[in-house]
Structures are given as C-alpha cells and as structure tokens.
Amino acid sequence: MENLRIFLLGGQDLEMQTIEEVLRDNGVCFENRHLRWDNAFLSGYKDVVNEYAGNPEVTLYGVELMEDIETSANYVRIDHHNDFAGRPSSLEQVMTVLGLPMNWRERLIAANDARYIPGMESIGATSAEIAEIRLADRRAQGVTDADEHAAELAARQVSG
C-alpha cells in the first residue's frame, strides 16, 4: 500500500491555486489554510505536523512554507524560492511527485512563477497568453480592478 501523502499549501497565487486544483482533481489529500506570503509558515499547520510527525505511513509535503517549527523525517519541502532557487517550480515538483504530465497552461503558470515573463517567453508563450497568465496571477493574489486602476494612475503620474 502506498503511503498517504498530505500537501500543506503556502501563500496564495496562481501557482498555489493551480496546485490545489490538481490535488483536488486527483483525489490527493491537502490542507489549505489560505495563507498569505507574509504568513506562509509551517506553524500554520502545526496541528497536522504534530499529528503525523514521524509516521512512516504518511508523507507531509510543505509547499512554499517557511519552516519555523521542527520537522520530522516524513516531511518534504517543495519550494523554488530563496535557498531553493534553481529547482523546478513548485507546480512542477508537485506534478513530479504525483507522476502527472503538465498541460500547456500548467507549463505557462510554472514558467511565470519561476521566471516571470521571460520564463513564459522562453517556452513560446504568445503575448495574449502572457497577459492572461499575469492577470490570473494578480487575481489569485487578491489584486482587484480598483488596485489595477490605482496602479495605472500612479504609473502615469510618475512618468508624466
């Protein structure tokens, strides 16, 4: 019997939203406490970590969570930021763990998260695809139309 896998999700953006969709669509256990980037700490899942700590039948995967509490041998960090820069995007790592292929949209999302617009351009994204992924990412992060409008006005004032 395969070990139980439980994914603990970090700060919300399009990549994390997509990871959640993949996990849900494939019946994989996950917890999403809807953390933000400024509070995406493993301690947000302390109850889950404590419940399964050291259990050889369970693997916990922390996705882009800063480790501020002790982990055990059955904990795996999935990340591609800071000390983990140079690794594949978190979405790519999750797909590898699950043994799933990535569709074109998932590849665009992974490229955007790991390498921003140049990353999407490097895999052949069109301008329309880049604009759509960037907008979807801002929306997933909670950026509203009012925020977008205010940013446009501020940019015009600075440049003009």
Side-chain angles (χ1 to χ4, degrees), residues 19-38:
I19 289 169
E20 180 175 349
E21 290 169 7
V22 166
L23 296 172
R24 182 180 297 110
D25 290 351
N26 288 279
V28 178
C29 292
F30 69 92
E31 293 271 339
N32 188 350
R33 305 265 165 100
H34 300 283
L35 303 174
R36 299 178 316 270
W37 289 109
D38 64 344

Side-chain angles (χ1 to χ4, degrees), residues 6 14 17-18 20 23 29 34 39 43 50 53-54 56-58 64 71 75 81 95 103 108 111-112 144 152 157:
I6 303 173
L14 183 58
Q17 186 178 74
T18 304
E20 180 175 349
L23 296 172
C29 292
H34 300 283
N39 73 349
S43 59
N50 288 342
E57 296 177 5
V58 178
E64 298 186 5
T71 62
Y75 177 80
H81 300 288
M95 298 299 271
N103 64 35
L108 289 170
N112 173 62
T144 65
E152 289 172 12
Q157 289 174 347

Side-chain angles (χ1 to χ4, degrees), residues 106-157:
E106 291 162 345
R107 289 181 56 212
L108 289 170
I109 292 166
N112 173 62
D113 201 89
R115 296 172 303 282
Y116 192 54
I117 292 170
M120 289 187 284
E121 290 172 337
S122 74
I123 64 169
T126 66
S127 297
E129 288 170 327
I130 291 169
E132 187 275 323
I133 294 295
R134 293 298 310 138
L135 178 61
D137 193 25
R138 291 191 303 276
R139 292 297 183 256
Q141 294 178 46
V143 176
T144 65
D145 286 337
D147 296 332
E148 296 268 349
H149 183 68
E152 289 172 12
L153 289 175
R156 280 191 214 123
Q157 289 174 347

